[in-house]
CSV table of all heavy atoms in Angstrom, one decimal:
chain,number,residue,atom,x,y,z
A,1,MET,N,0.8,-1.2,0.0
A,1,MET,CA,0.0,0.0,0.0
A,1,MET,C,0.9,1.3,0.0
A,1,MET,O,0.6,2.2,-0.7
A,1,MET,CB,-0.9,-0.1,1.2
A,1,MET,CG,-1.9,1.0,1.3
A,1,MET,SD,-3.1,0.7,0.0
A,1,MET,CE,-4.2,2.0,0.2
A,2,ARG,N,1.9,1.2,0.7
A,2,ARG,CA,2.9,2.4,0.8
A,2,ARG,C,3.5,2.7,-0.5
A,2,ARG,O,3.6,3.8,-0.9
A,2,ARG,CB,3.9,2.0,1.9
A,2,ARG,CG,4.8,3.1,2.2
A,2,ARG,CD,5.6,2.7,3.4
A,2,ARG,NE,6.7,3.4,3.7
A,2,ARG,CZ,7.8,3.1,4.4
A,2,ARG,NH1,7.8,1.9,5.0
A,2,ARG,NH2,8.8,3.9,4.6
A,3,ASN,N,3.8,1.6,-1.2
A,3,ASN,CA,4.4,1.9,-2.5
A,3,ASN,C,3.5,2.4,-3.5
A,3,ASN,O,3.9,3.3,-4.4
A,3,ASN,CB,5.0,0.5,-3.1
A,3,ASN,CG,6.2,0.1,-2.4
A,3,ASN,OD1,7.0,0.8,-1.8
A,3,ASN,ND2,6.5,-1.3,-2.3
A,4,VAL,N,2.2,2.1,-3.4
A,4,VAL,CA,1.2,2.5,-4.4
A,4,VAL,C,1.0,4.0,-4.1
A,4,VAL,O,0.9,4.8,-5.1
A,4,VAL,CB,-0.1,1.7,-4.2
A,4,VAL,CG1,-1.2,2.4,-5.0
A,4,VAL,CG2,0.0,0.3,-4.6
A,5,LEU,N,0.9,4.4,-2.9
A,5,LEU,CA,0.7,5.9,-2.5
A,5,LEU,C,2.0,6.6,-3.0
A,5,LEU,O,1.9,7.8,-3.5
A,5,LEU,CB,0.6,6.0,-1.0
A,5,LEU,CG,-0.8,5.5,-0.5
A,5,LEU,CD1,-0.8,5.6,1.1
A,5,LEU,CD2,-2.0,6.3,-1.1
A,6,LEU,N,3.1,6.2,-2.8
A,6,LEU,CA,4.4,6.8,-3.2
A,6,LEU,C,4.3,6.9,-4.8
A,6,LEU,O,4.7,8.0,-5.2
A,6,LEU,CB,5.6,6.0,-2.7
A,6,LEU,CG,6.9,6.6,-3.1
A,6,LEU,CD1,7.1,7.9,-2.4
A,6,LEU,CD2,8.1,5.7,-2.7
A,7,LEU,N,4.0,5.9,-5.5
A,7,LEU,CA,3.9,6.0,-6.9
A,7,LEU,C,3.0,7.0,-7.4
A,7,LEU,O,3.0,7.7,-8.4
A,7,LEU,CB,3.6,4.5,-7.5
A,7,LEU,CG,3.6,4.4,-9.0
A,7,LEU,CD1,5.0,4.7,-9.4
A,7,LEU,CD2,3.3,3.1,-9.4
A,8,ALA,N,1.8,7.1,-6.7
A,8,ALA,CA,0.8,8.0,-7.0
A,8,ALA,C,1.2,9.4,-6.8
A,8,ALA,O,0.9,10.3,-7.6
A,8,ALA,CB,-0.5,7.6,-6.3
A,9,GLY,N,1.9,9.6,-5.7
A,9,GLY,CA,2.4,10.9,-5.4
A,9,GLY,C,3.5,11.4,-6.4
A,9,GLY,O,3.5,12.6,-7.0
A,10,VAL,N,4.4,10.5,-6.8
A,10,VAL,CA,5.4,10.9,-7.9
A,10,VAL,C,4.6,11.2,-9.2
A,10,VAL,O,5.0,12.0,-9.9
A,10,VAL,CB,6.4,9.7,-8.0
A,10,VAL,CG1,7.2,9.9,-9.2
A,10,VAL,CG2,7.2,9.6,-6.8
A,11,GLY,N,3.7,10.4,-9.5
A,11,GLY,CA,2.9,10.5,-10.8
A,11,GLY,C,2.2,11.9,-10.8
A,11,GLY,O,2.2,12.6,-11.8
A,12,ALA,N,1.6,12.3,-9.7
A,12,ALA,CA,0.9,13.5,-9.6
A,12,ALA,C,1.9,14.7,-9.7
A,12,ALA,O,1.7,15.7,-10.4
A,12,ALA,CB,0.2,13.7,-8.3
A,13,ALA,N,3.1,14.5,-9.1
A,13,ALA,CA,4.1,15.6,-9.2
A,13,ALA,C,4.6,15.8,-10.7
A,13,ALA,O,4.8,16.8,-11.1
A,13,ALA,CB,5.4,15.2,-8.3
A,14,LEU,N,4.8,14.6,-11.4
A,14,LEU,CA,5.3,14.6,-12.7
A,14,LEU,C,4.1,15.3,-13.6
A,14,LEU,O,4.5,16.1,-14.5
A,14,LEU,CB,5.5,13.3,-13.2
A,14,LEU,CG,6.8,12.6,-12.8
A,14,LEU,CD1,7.0,11.2,-13.3
A,14,LEU,CD2,8.1,13.5,-13.2
A,15,LEU,N,2.9,15.1,-13.4
A,15,LEU,CA,1.7,15.7,-14.1
A,15,LEU,C,1.9,17.2,-13.9
A,15,LEU,O,1.7,18.0,-14.8
A,15,LEU,CB,0.4,15.2,-13.6
A,15,LEU,CG,-0.2,14.3,-14.6
A,15,LEU,CD1,-1.3,13.6,-14.0
A,15,LEU,CD2,-0.7,15.1,-15.7
A,16,ILE,N,2.0,17.6,-12.7
A,16,ILE,CA,2.0,19.1,-12.3
A,16,ILE,C,3.2,19.7,-13.0
A,16,ILE,O,3.0,20.8,-13.6
A,16,ILE,CB,1.9,19.3,-10.8
A,16,ILE,CG1,0.7,18.9,-10.2
A,16,ILE,CG2,2.3,20.8,-10.5
A,16,ILE,CD1,0.7,18.8,-8.8
A,17,ALA,N,4.4,19.1,-13.0
A,17,ALA,CA,5.6,19.6,-13.6
A,17,ALA,C,5.4,19.7,-15.2
A,17,ALA,O,5.8,20.7,-15.8
A,17,ALA,CB,6.8,18.8,-13.3
A,18,ALA,N,4.7,18.7,-15.8
A,18,ALA,CA,4.6,18.8,-17.2
A,18,ALA,C,3.7,19.9,-17.7
A,18,ALA,O,3.8,20.5,-18.6
A,18,ALA,CB,4.0,17.3,-17.7
A,19,ARG,N,2.5,20.2,-16.8
A,19,ARG,CA,1.6,21.2,-17.1
A,19,ARG,C,2.2,22.5,-17.0
A,19,ARG,O,2.1,23.5,-17.8
A,19,ARG,CB,0.4,21.1,-16.3
A,19,ARG,CG,-0.5,20.0,-16.7
A,19,ARG,CD,-1.8,20.0,-15.9
A,19,ARG,NE,-2.7,19.0,-16.3
A,19,ARG,CZ,-3.9,18.9,-15.9
A,19,ARG,NH1,-4.5,19.7,-15.1
A,19,ARG,NH2,-4.7,17.9,-16.3
A,20,LEU,N,3.1,22.6,-16.0
A,20,LEU,CA,3.9,23.9,-15.8
A,20,LEU,C,4.8,24.2,-17.0
A,20,LEU,O,4.8,25.3,-17.5
A,20,LEU,CB,4.7,23.8,-14.5
A,20,LEU,CG,5.4,25.1,-14.1
A,20,LEU,CD1,4.5,26.3,-13.8
A,20,LEU,CD2,6.3,24.9,-12.9
A,21,VAL,N,5.5,23.3,-17.5
A,21,VAL,CA,6.4,23.4,-18.5
A,21,VAL,C,5.6,23.8,-19.9
A,21,VAL,O,6.0,24.7,-20.6
A,21,VAL,CB,7.3,22.1,-18.8
A,21,VAL,CG1,8.0,22.1,-20.1
A,21,VAL,CG2,8.2,22.0,-17.7
A,22,VAL,N,4.5,23.1,-20.1
A,22,VAL,CA,3.6,23.4,-21.2
A,22,VAL,C,3.1,24.8,-21.2
A,22,VAL,O,3.1,25.5,-22.2
A,22,VAL,CB,2.6,22.4,-21.4
A,22,VAL,CG1,1.5,22.8,-22.4
A,22,VAL,CG2,3.0,21.0,-21.7
A,23,SER,N,2.7,25.1,-20.0
A,23,SER,CA,2.2,26.6,-19.8
A,23,SER,C,3.3,27.6,-20.2
A,23,SER,O,3.0,28.6,-20.8
A,23,SER,CB,1.7,26.7,-18.4
A,23,SER,OG,1.4,28.0,-18.1
A,24,ILE,N,4.5,27.4,-19.7
A,24,ILE,CA,5.6,28.3,-19.9
A,24,ILE,C,5.9,28.4,-21.4
A,24,ILE,O,6.1,29.5,-21.9
A,24,ILE,CB,6.8,27.8,-19.1
A,24,ILE,CG1,6.5,28.2,-17.6
A,24,ILE,CG2,8.0,28.8,-19.5
A,24,ILE,CD1,7.6,27.7,-16.6
A,25,MET,N,5.9,27.2,-22.1
A,25,MET,CA,6.2,27.2,-23.5
A,25,MET,C,5.2,27.8,-24.3
A,25,MET,O,5.5,28.6,-25.3
A,25,MET,CB,6.4,25.7,-24.0
A,25,MET,CG,7.6,25.1,-23.3
A,25,MET,SD,9.2,25.8,-23.6
A,25,MET,CE,9.5,25.1,-25.2
A,26,LYS,N,4.0,27.7,-23.9
A,26,LYS,CA,2.8,28.3,-24.6
A,26,LYS,C,2.9,29.8,-24.5
A,26,LYS,O,2.7,30.6,-25.6
A,26,LYS,CB,1.5,27.8,-24.2
A,26,LYS,CG,0.3,28.2,-24.9
A,26,LYS,CD,-1.0,27.8,-24.3
A,26,LYS,CE,-1.3,26.4,-24.8
A,26,LYS,NZ,-2.6,26.0,-24.4
A,27,ARG,N,3.2,30.3,-23.4
A,27,ARG,CA,3.3,31.9,-23.3
A,27,ARG,C,4.4,32.5,-24.1
A,27,ARG,O,4.2,33.4,-24.7
A,27,ARG,CB,3.6,32.1,-21.8
A,27,ARG,CG,2.3,32.6,-21.0
A,27,ARG,CD,2.7,33.1,-19.7
A,27,ARG,NE,2.3,32.1,-18.7
A,27,ARG,CZ,3.0,31.7,-17.6
A,27,ARG,NH1,4.1,32.2,-17.4
A,27,ARG,NH2,2.4,30.7,-16.9
A,28,ASN,N,5.6,31.7,-24.2
A,28,ASN,CA,6.6,32.3,-25.0
A,28,ASN,C,6.4,32.2,-26.4
A,28,ASN,O,6.7,33.1,-27.2
A,28,ASN,CB,7.9,31.4,-24.7
A,28,ASN,CG,8.5,31.7,-23.3
A,28,ASN,OD1,8.1,32.7,-22.8
A,28,ASN,ND2,9.2,30.8,-22.9
A,29,ALA,N,5.6,31.1,-26.9
A,29,ALA,CA,5.3,31.1,-28.3
A,29,ALA,C,4.2,32.2,-28.7
A,29,ALA,O,4.4,32.8,-29.8
A,29,ALA,CB,4.7,29.7,-28.6
A,30,GLN,N,3.3,32.5,-27.8
A,30,GLN,CA,2.4,33.5,-28.1
A,30,GLN,C,3.0,34.9,-28.0
A,30,GLN,O,2.6,35.8,-28.9
A,30,GLN,CB,1.2,33.4,-27.1
A,30,GLN,CG,0.1,34.4,-27.4
A,30,GLN,CD,-1.1,34.2,-26.4
A,30,GLN,OE1,-0.8,33.8,-25.3
A,30,GLN,NE2,-2.2,34.7,-26.8
A,31,ALA,N,4.0,35.1,-27.2
A,31,ALA,CA,4.7,36.4,-27.1
A,31,ALA,C,5.4,36.8,-28.4
A,31,ALA,O,5.6,38.0,-28.7
A,31,ALA,CB,5.6,36.4,-26.0
A,32,ARG,N,5.8,35.8,-29.2
A,32,ARG,CA,6.5,36.1,-30.4
A,32,ARG,C,5.5,36.7,-31.5
A,32,ARG,O,6.0,37.4,-32.3
A,32,ARG,CB,6.9,34.7,-31.1
A,32,ARG,CG,8.3,34.3,-30.5
A,32,ARG,CD,8.7,33.1,-31.3
A,32,ARG,NE,7.7,32.0,-31.1
A,32,ARG,CZ,7.9,30.8,-31.6
A,32,ARG,NH1,8.9,30.5,-32.2
A,32,ARG,NH2,6.9,30.0,-31.5
A,33,HIS,N,4.3,36.4,-31.4
A,33,HIS,CA,3.4,36.9,-32.4
A,33,HIS,C,2.6,38.2,-32.1
A,33,HIS,O,1.9,38.8,-32.8
A,33,HIS,CB,2.3,35.8,-32.7
A,33,HIS,CG,2.9,34.6,-33.1
A,33,HIS,ND1,3.5,34.4,-34.3
A,33,HIS,CD2,3.0,33.4,-32.4
A,33,HIS,CE1,4.0,33.2,-34.4
A,33,HIS,NE2,3.7,32.6,-33.3
A,34,PHE,N,2.9,38.8,-30.8
A,34,PHE,CA,2.2,40.0,-30.4
A,34,PHE,C,3.4,41.0,-29.9
A,34,PHE,O,4.4,40.6,-29.5
A,34,PHE,CB,1.3,39.7,-29.1
A,34,PHE,CG,0.1,39.0,-29.6
A,34,PHE,CD1,0.0,37.6,-29.5
A,34,PHE,CD2,-1.0,39.7,-30.1
A,34,PHE,CE1,-1.0,36.9,-30.0
A,34,PHE,CE2,-2.1,39.0,-30.5
A,34,PHE,CZ,-2.2,37.6,-30.5
A,35,GLU,N,3.1,42.2,-30.0
A,35,GLU,CA,4.0,43.3,-29.6
A,35,GLU,C,3.3,44.4,-28.8
A,35,GLU,O,2.1,44.7,-29.2
A,35,GLU,CB,4.7,43.9,-30.7
A,35,GLU,CG,3.9,44.6,-31.7
A,35,GLU,CD,4.7,45.0,-33.0
A,35,GLU,OE1,6.0,45.2,-32.9
A,35,GLU,OE2,4.2,45.0,-34.1
A,36,PRO,N,3.8,44.9,-27.8
A,36,PRO,CA,3.2,46.0,-27.0
A,36,PRO,C,3.4,47.3,-27.8
A,36,PRO,O,4.5,47.6,-28.4
A,36,PRO,CB,4.0,46.1,-25.7
A,36,PRO,CG,5.4,45.4,-26.0
A,36,PRO,CD,5.1,44.4,-27.1
A,37,VAL,N,2.4,48.0,-28.0
A,37,VAL,CA,2.4,49.3,-28.7
A,37,VAL,C,1.5,50.4,-28.1
A,37,VAL,O,0.7,50.1,-27.2
A,37,VAL,CB,1.9,49.2,-30.1
A,37,VAL,CG1,2.8,48.3,-31.0
A,37,VAL,CG2,0.5,48.6,-30.2
A,38,ALA,N,1.8,51.6,-28.5
A,38,ALA,CA,1.0,52.8,-28.1
A,38,ALA,C,0.6,53.5,-29.4
A,38,ALA,O,1.5,53.8,-30.2
A,38,ALA,CB,1.7,53.7,-27.2
A,39,CYS,N,-0.6,53.8,-29.6
A,39,CYS,CA,-1.1,54.5,-30.8
A,39,CYS,C,-0.8,55.9,-30.8
A,39,CYS,O,-1.2,56.6,-29.8
A,39,CYS,CB,-2.6,54.2,-31.1
A,39,CYS,SG,-3.3,54.9,-32.5
A,40,SER,N,-0.2,56.5,-31.8
A,40,SER,CA,0.1,58.0,-31.8
A,40,SER,C,-1.2,58.7,-32.1
A,40,SER,O,-1.2,59.9,-32.0
A,40,SER,CB,1.2,58.3,-32.6
A,40,SER,OG,1.0,57.8,-34.0
A,41,GLY,N,-2.1,58.0,-32.8
A,41,GLY,CA,-3.3,58.7,-33.2
A,41,GLY,C,-4.4,59.0,-32.2
A,41,GLY,O,-4.8,60.1,-32.0
A,42,CYS,N,-4.7,58.0,-31.4
A,42,CYS,CA,-5.7,58.1,-30.4
A,42,CYS,C,-5.2,57.9,-28.9
A,42,CYS,O,-5.9,58.1,-28.0
A,42,CYS,CB,-6.9,57.2,-30.7
A,42,CYS,SG,-6.5,55.4,-30.5
A,43,GLY,N,-4.0,57.4,-28.7
A,43,GLY,CA,-3.5,57.2,-27.5
A,43,GLY,C,-3.6,55.9,-26.8
A,43,GLY,O,-3.2,55.6,-25.7
A,44,TRP,N,-4.3,54.9,-27.6
A,44,TRP,CA,-4.5,53.5,-27.2
A,44,TRP,C,-3.3,52.9,-26.8
A,44,TRP,O,-2.3,53.0,-27.5
A,44,TRP,CB,-5.4,52.8,-28.1
A,44,TRP,CG,-5.7,51.4,-27.7
A,44,TRP,CD1,-6.7,51.0,-27.0
A,44,TRP,CD2,-5.0,50.2,-28.1
A,44,TRP,NE1,-6.7,49.6,-26.8
A,44,TRP,CE2,-5.6,49.2,-27.5
A,44,TRP,CE3,-3.9,50.0,-28.9
A,44,TRP,CZ2,-5.2,47.8,-27.5
A,44,TRP,CZ3,-3.4,48.7,-29.0
A,44,TRP,CH2,-4.1,47.6,-28.4
A,45,ARG,N,-3.3,52.1,-25.8
A,45,ARG,CA,-2.0,51.2,-25.4
A,45,ARG,C,-2.4,49.8,-25.2
A,45,ARG,O,-3.5,49.6,-24.7
A,45,ARG,CB,-1.3,51.8,-24.2
A,45,ARG,CG,-0.7,53.1,-24.3
A,45,ARG,CD,-0.2,53.5,-23.0
A,45,ARG,NE,0.4,54.8,-23.0
A,45,ARG,CZ,1.8,55.0,-23.0
A,45,ARG,NH1,2.6,54.0,-22.7
A,45,ARG,NH2,2.2,56.2,-23.2
A,46,GLY,N,-1.7,48.9,-25.7
A,46,GLY,CA,-1.9,47.4,-25.5
A,46,GLY,C,-1.0,46.6,-26.4
A,46,GLY,O,0.0,47.1,-27.0
A,47,GLN,N,-1.5,45.4,-26.8
A,47,GLN,CA,-0.8,44.4,-27.6
A,47,GLN,C,-1.6,44.2,-28.8
A,47,GLN,O,-2.7,44.0,-28.8
A,47,GLN,CB,-0.6,43.1,-26.8
A,47,GLN,CG,0.5,43.2,-25.7
A,47,GLN,CD,0.8,41.8,-25.2
A,47,GLN,OE1,0.0,40.8,-25.3
A,47,GLN,NE2,1.9,41.7,-24.6
A,48,VAL,N,-0.8,44.2,-30.0
A,48,VAL,CA,-1.4,43.9,-31.2
A,48,VAL,C,-0.5,42.8,-31.9
A,48,VAL,O,0.6,42.6,-31.6
A,48,VAL,CB,-1.5,45.2,-32.1
A,48,VAL,CG1,-2.5,46.1,-31.5
A,48,VAL,CG2,-0.1,45.8,-32.4
A,49,SER,N,-1.1,42.2,-32.9
A,49,SER,CA,-0.5,41.2,-33.7
A,49,SER,C,0.6,41.8,-34.5
A,49,SER,O,0.6,42.9,-35.1
A,49,SER,CB,-1.4,40.5,-34.7
A,49,SER,OG,-0.8,39.8,-35.6
A,50,ARG,N,1.8,41.2,-34.6
A,50,ARG,CA,2.9,41.6,-35.4
A,50,ARG,C,2.5,41.6,-36.9
A,50,ARG,O,3.0,42.3,-37.8
A,50,ARG,CB,4.1,40.7,-35.2
A,50,ARG,CG,4.8,40.9,-33.9
A,50,ARG,CD,6.0,40.1,-33.9
A,50,ARG,NE,6.7,40.1,-32.6
A,50,ARG,CZ,7.5,41.1,-32.1
A,50,ARG,NH1,7.7,42.2,-32.8
A,50,ARG,NH2,7.9,41.0,-30.9
A,51,TYR,N,1.7,40.8,-37.4
A,51,TYR,CA,1.3,40.5,-38.7
A,51,TYR,C,0.2,41.5,-39.2
A,51,TYR,O,0.1,41.8,-40.3
A,51,TYR,CB,0.9,39.0,-38.9
A,51,TYR,CG,2.0,38.2,-38.4
A,51,TYR,CD1,1.7,37.5,-37.2
A,51,TYR,CD2,3.3,38.0,-38.9
A,51,TYR,CE1,2.6,36.6,-36.6
A,51,TYR,CE2,4.2,37.3,-38.3
A,51,TYR,CZ,3.9,36.5,-37.1
A,51,TYR,OH,4.9,35.7,-36.6
A,52,ALA,N,-0.9,41.8,-38.4
A,52,ALA,CA,-1.9,42.6,-38.8
A,52,ALA,C,-2.1,43.6,-37.8
A,52,ALA,O,-3.2,43.9,-37.2
A,52,ALA,CB,-3.2,41.7,-38.9
A,53,GLY,N,-1.1,44.3,-37.3
A,53,GLY,CA,-1.1,45.3,-36.2
A,53,GLY,C,-1.8,46.5,-36.6
A,53,GLY,O,-1.3,47.4,-37.3
A,54,ARG,N,-3.0,46.7,-36.1
A,54,ARG,CA,-3.7,47.9,-36.2
A,54,ARG,C,-4.4,48.3,-34.9
A,54,ARG,O,-4.7,47.4,-34.1
A,54,ARG,CB,-4.8,47.8,-37.3
A,54,ARG,CG,-4.3,47.5,-38.7
A,54,ARG,CD,-5.3,47.9,-39.7
A,54,ARG,NE,-4.6,48.0,-41.0
A,54,ARG,CZ,-4.2,49.2,-41.6
A,54,ARG,NH1,-4.5,50.3,-40.9
A,54,ARG,NH2,-3.7,49.3,-42.8
A,55,CYS,N,-4.6,49.5,-34.7
A,55,CYS,CA,-5.2,50.1,-33.5
A,55,CYS,C,-6.7,49.6,-33.5
A,55,CYS,O,-7.4,49.8,-34.5
A,55,CYS,CB,-5.1,51.5,-33.5
A,55,CYS,SG,-5.9,52.3,-32.0
A,56,PRO,N,-7.2,49.1,-32.4
A,56,PRO,CA,-8.7,48.6,-32.4
A,56,PRO,C,-9.6,49.8,-32.3
A,56,PRO,O,-10.8,49.6,-32.6
A,56,PRO,CB,-8.6,47.8,-31.1
A,56,PRO,CG,-7.6,48.1,-30.2
A,56,PRO,CD,-6.5,48.6,-31.2
A,57,GLN,N,-9.1,51.0,-32.0
A,57,GLN,CA,-10.0,52.1,-31.9
A,57,GLN,C,-10.0,52.9,-33.1
A,57,GLN,O,-11.1,53.3,-33.7
A,57,GLN,CB,-9.6,53.0,-30.7
A,57,GLN,CG,-9.9,52.4,-29.4
A,57,GLN,CD,-9.6,53.3,-28.1
A,57,GLN,OE1,-9.1,54.4,-28.4
A,57,GLN,NE2,-10.1,52.9,-27.1
A,58,CYS,N,-8.9,53.2,-33.8
A,58,CYS,CA,-8.8,54.2,-35.0
A,58,CYS,C,-8.3,53.4,-36.2
A,58,CYS,O,-8.2,54.1,-37.3
A,58,CYS,CB,-8.1,55.4,-34.7
A,58,CYS,SG,-6.3,55.1,-34.4
A,59,ASN,N,-7.9,52.2,-36.1
A,59,ASN,CA,-7.6,51.3,-37.3
A,59,ASN,C,-6.2,51.8,-38.0
A,59,ASN,O,-6.0,51.5,-39.0
A,59,ASN,CB,-8.6,51.3,-38.4
A,59,ASN,CG,-8.5,49.9,-39.2
A,59,ASN,OD1,-8.0,49.0,-38.7
A,59,ASN,ND2,-8.9,50.2,-40.5
A,60,GLN,N,-5.4,52.6,-37.2
A,60,GLN,CA,-4.1,53.0,-37.7
A,60,GLN,C,-3.2,51.9,-37.6
A,60,GLN,O,-3.1,51.2,-36.6
A,60,GLN,CB,-3.7,54.2,-36.9
A,60,GLN,CG,-2.5,54.8,-37.4
A,60,GLN,CD,-2.1,56.2,-36.6
A,60,GLN,OE1,-2.9,56.5,-35.7
A,60,GLN,NE2,-1.0,56.8,-36.9
A,61,PRO,N,-2.2,51.8,-38.6
A,61,PRO,CA,-1.2,50.7,-38.6
A,61,PRO,C,-0.2,51.0,-37.3
A,61,PRO,O,0.1,52.1,-37.1
A,61,PRO,CB,-0.4,50.8,-39.8
A,61,PRO,CG,-0.9,51.9,-40.5
A,61,PRO,CD,-2.2,52.5,-39.8
A,62,LEU,N,0.1,49.9,-36.7
A,62,LEU,CA,1.0,50.1,-35.4
A,62,LEU,C,2.2,49.1,-35.6
A,62,LEU,O,2.1,48.1,-36.3
A,62,LEU,CB,0.3,49.7,-34.2
A,62,LEU,CG,-0.9,50.6,-33.9
A,62,LEU,CD1,-1.7,50.2,-32.8
A,62,LEU,CD2,-0.5,52.0,-33.6
A,63,GLY,N,3.2,49.3,-34.8
A,63,GLY,CA,4.3,48.3,-34.7
A,63,GLY,C,5.0,48.1,-36.0
A,63,GLY,O,5.4,48.9,-36.7
A,64,GLU,N,5.2,46.8,-36.3
A,64,GLU,CA,5.8,46.4,-37.6
A,64,GLU,C,5.1,46.8,-38.7
A,64,GLU,O,5.7,47.0,-39.8
A,64,GLU,CB,6.0,44.8,-37.5
A,64,GLU,CG,7.2,44.3,-36.7
A,64,GLU,CD,7.4,42.8,-36.8
A,64,GLU,OE1,7.1,42.3,-37.9
A,64,GLU,OE2,8.0,42.3,-35.9
A,65,GLN,N,3.8,46.9,-38.6
A,65,GLN,CA,3.0,47.3,-39.8
A,65,GLN,C,3.2,48.7,-40.2
A,65,GLN,O,3.3,49.1,-41.3
A,65,GLN,CB,1.5,47.1,-39.5
A,65,GLN,CG,1.0,45.7,-39.4
A,65,GLN,CD,1.3,44.9,-40.7
A,65,GLN,OE1,1.0,45.3,-41.8
A,65,GLN,NE2,1.9,43.7,-40.5
A,66,LYS,N,3.5,49.6,-39.2
A,66,LYS,CA,3.8,51.0,-39.4
A,66,LYS,C,5.3,51.1,-40.0
A,66,LYS,O,5.4,51.9,-40.9
A,66,LYS,CB,3.8,51.7,-38.0
A,66,LYS,CG,3.9,53.2,-38.2
A,66,LYS,CD,3.6,53.9,-36.9
A,66,LYS,CE,3.6,55.3,-37.0
A,66,LYS,NZ,3.3,56.0,-35.6
A,67,ALA,N,6.1,50.2,-39.6
A,67,ALA,CA,7.5,50.2,-40.1
A,67,ALA,C,7.4,49.8,-41.6
A,67,ALA,O,8.2,50.3,-42.4
A,67,ALA,CB,8.4,49.4,-39.3
A,68,ARG,N,6.6,48.8,-42.0
A,68,ARG,CA,6.5,48.4,-43.4
A,68,ARG,C,5.9,49.3,-44.3
A,68,ARG,O,6.3,49.5,-45.4
A,68,ARG,CB,5.6,47.1,-43.4
A,68,ARG,CG,6.3,45.9,-42.8
A,68,ARG,CD,5.5,44.7,-43.0
A,68,ARG,NE,6.0,43.6,-42.2
A,68,ARG,CZ,5.4,42.6,-41.8
A,68,ARG,NH1,4.1,42.5,-42.0
A,68,ARG,NH2,6.0,41.7,-41.1
A,69,ARG,N,5.0,50.2,-43.8
A,69,ARG,CA,4.4,51.2,-44.6
A,69,ARG,C,5.4,52.4,-44.9
A,69,ARG,O,5.2,53.1,-45.9
A,69,ARG,CB,3.2,51.7,-43.9
A,69,ARG,CG,2.0,50.7,-43.9
A,69,ARG,CD,0.8,51.4,-43.5
A,69,ARG,NE,0.1,51.8,-44.7
A,69,ARG,CZ,-1.0,52.4,-44.8
A,69,ARG,NH1,-1.7,52.8,-43.6
A,69,ARG,NH2,-1.6,52.8,-45.8
A,70,ALA,N,6.3,52.6,-44.0
A,70,ALA,CA,7.3,53.6,-44.3
A,70,ALA,C,8.3,53.3,-45.4
A,70,ALA,O,9.0,54.2,-45.9
A,70,ALA,CB,8.1,53.9,-43.0
A,71,ASP,N,8.4,52.0,-45.7
A,71,ASP,CA,9.4,51.6,-46.8
A,71,ASP,C,9.0,52.2,-48.2
A,71,ASP,O,8.0,52.4,-48.6
A,71,ASP,CB,9.5,50.1,-46.9
A,71,ASP,CG,10.3,49.6,-45.6
A,71,ASP,OD1,11.0,50.4,-45.0
A,71,ASP,OD2,10.1,48.4,-45.4
């Protein structure tokens, strides 16, 4: 009985550790696709997509999108 409880405890600890690692990896992957910005048009601040970065209030291009339009 003691061995079964020990094995269950180790299994639970491994499950918790695996979920923690997956959670950390997911956050880092998502951070690559978003960037913090401040809109110069209306003053909105927040995070927008790097690929379709537009202000949600005034639709002005932000971040990498603004840099691409300057070319």
Side-chain angles (χ1 to χ4, degrees):
M1 187 67 177
R2 189 170 163 197
N3 289 337
V4 172
L5 289 174
L6 183 62
L7 187 61
V10 169
L14 286 175
L15 247 166
I16 291 169
R19 285 187 181 190
L20 182 65
V21 168
V22 167
S23 173
I24 290 170
M25 297 299 278
K26 188 182 272 188
R27 262 188 251 136
N28 290 339
Q30 188 178 21
R32 278 186 298 188
H33 303 291
F34 290 93
E35 59 185 334
V37 293
C39 181
S40 59
C42 66
W44 179 85
R45 291 176 183 251
Q47 287 189 340
V48 295
S49 168
R50 290 187 186 275
Y51 311 109
R54 293 200 166 264
C55 177
Q57 288 184 350
C58 66
N59 203 32
Q60 184 174 359
L62 299 172
E64 284 189 20
Q65 294 300 315
K66 191 172 187 178
R68 287 185 190 152
R69 291 191 92 180
D71 291 340

